[in-house]
Amino acid sequence: MGFVISVFGFFKLLIRNFILLIFFIFSPNSFALDTFELYGKLNSSTVRINIWENYGTNNAEVVFGGSGIVFNKYRDTYFILTNAHVVLSQYCLTDSDDPNCVDRLWPDSQSIYVDTTDSSYEYYVSDEDFIFWEDLDLAVIALDASDSEENFQILEIGGQWHPLQQVYSAGFPSVIGNLKDYRDLFYDSCAVNAGIFDEEGMLALNNYSIVHDCTISGGMSGGPLVTEDGKLLAINGLIGQPSLEQGYLGEITGDFDDLNYAFA
């Protein structure tokens, strides 16, 4: 009896097991790009991921936003890497310490759409169009672009990294990037501050391993961290939180962990 499988189904079988391997494969050719070239690559490969309530009605509004990066293409299907906590309404790895927690999709009244700064077309993402990992804050969206003339640029994955290395980030912050008529990318340059490799540190940071000081805010989760030669180094997603304490005399002291973390 014949067996037919869709493109999305085929890649769901393969990509879950092999996607992480590509983070360890990099091109031996490494040439630094000027900042305008880097801007062009990030602008044409970074996408906005919005979760809409009552999309297409007069009561439509964005309830959550994130970013993603186009890293591969097969025929008319683009593959976008982002964070799992962007495409799920509840993601237990980052949202809860309850051992009985269950990962949850967005409810039927809320819809996931992908677009870019230059796109005149918004791509609907169904629950069948993405996969995610329960123990790694990563997800891959399969985006069918057969009905549009979109020409996303593919950002090559690879590159070696080390502390003090110059890197660049991009994403759609909630304030200026995730509103329907105002979708500007935010860019920054910074340095890698440290790498987290020990088991205890990785566990505390949900397996995030690169510490950097690029400016990252809500809505930029899933956006890229790239090298000077324009290769995808990591995915941003974990932001340091301030801790405030009040002393006996009423003084307030703060310990602001303003570092940011990327999954490599």
Side-chain angles (χ1 to χ4, degrees):
M1 181 176 179
F3 179 71
V4 179
I5 186 168
S6 67
V7 171
F8 290 170
F10 173 73
F11 274 94
K12 281 192 174 185
L13 291 175
L14 295 181
I15 207 168
R16 187 181 298 274
N17 294 320
F18 295 111
I19 182 67
L20 296 181
L21 295 179
I22 60 180
F23 279 89
F24 301 98
I25 301 173
F26 58 92
S27 171
N29 297 319
S30 180
F31 302 98
L33 304 177
D34 63 39
T35 53
F36 187 77
E37 289 177 304
L38 280 170
Y39 154 74
K41 292 191 71 169
L42 289 172
N43 185 68
S44 58
S45 58
T46 307
V47 300
R48 180 177 70 162
I49 304 171
N50 273 349
I51 288 77
W52 286 86
E53 178 83 29
N54 300 317
Y55 181 84
T57 71
N58 293 332
N59 298 321
E61 63 175 339
V62 175
V63 297
F64 189 76
S67 304
I69 189 72
V70 180
F71 73 98
N72 208 341
K73 180 183 181 183
Y74 178 74
R75 295 181 178 174
D76 292 324
T77 301
Y78 289 96
F79 293 93
I80 297 168
L81 194 59
T82 186
N83 292 129
H85 74 257
V86 170
V87 296
L88 297 173
S89 65
Q90 176 172 284
Y91 182 51
C92 297
L93 183 66
T94 58
D95 295 342
S96 176
D97 294 325
D98 184 353
N100 297 318
C101 178
V102 177
D103 296 323
R104 298 187 185 280
L105 301 170
W106 293 98
D108 292 340
S109 64
Q110 296 169 348
S111 308
I112 303 175
Y113 280 86
V114 169
D115 61 14
T116 71
T117 55
D118 302 323
S119 177
S120 59
Y121 189 88
E122 293 179 322
Y123 301 88
Y124 171 66
V125 178
S126 74
D127 297 342
E128 299 298 319
D129 293 339
F130 66 85
I131 59 171
F132 69 93
W133 285 258
E134 294 181 351
D135 56 345
L136 302 172
D137 191 9
L138 291 175
V140 173
I141 298 172
L143 195 71
D144 182 4
S146 58
D147 294 332
S148 76
E149 298 180 357
E150 199 78 61
N151 188 24
F152 294 111
Q153 183 164 349
I154 308 301
L155 202 65
E156 180 184 350
I157 294 179
Q160 295 174 310
W161 62 273
H162 55 79
L164 298 182
Q165 178 178 345
Q166 182 83 15
V167 289
Y168 301 85
S169 67
F172 291 88
S174 298
V175 176
I176 67 170
N178 290 109
L179 301 179
K180 186 173 181 62
D181 298 322
Y182 199 90
R183 47 187 179 188
D184 283 348
L185 263 174
F186 180 84
Y187 309 85
D188 197 15
S189 61
C190 64
V192 173
N193 302 117
I196 309 299
F197 301 110
D198 62 285
E199 184 175 352
E200 183 178 356
M202 293 282 283
L203 182 62
L205 295 173
N206 297 326
N207 294 312
Y208 280 86
S209 58
I210 294 182
V211 185
H212 64 84
D213 55 7
C214 279
T215 301
I216 302 295
S217 66
M220 297 180 70
S221 289
L225 193 71
V226 304
T227 59
E228 288 185 303
D229 58 346
K231 291 186 174 64
L232 179 59
L233 190 66
I235 297 296
N236 291 311
L238 189 63
I239 303 174
Q241 298 292 331
S243 174
L244 300 178
E245 295 182 358
Q246 186 170 10
Y248 290 111
L249 300 179
E251 74 276 15
I252 296 177
T253 59
D255 178 18
F256 286 86
D257 172 14
D258 59 353
L259 298 176
N260 300 296
Y261 303 86
F263 190 95

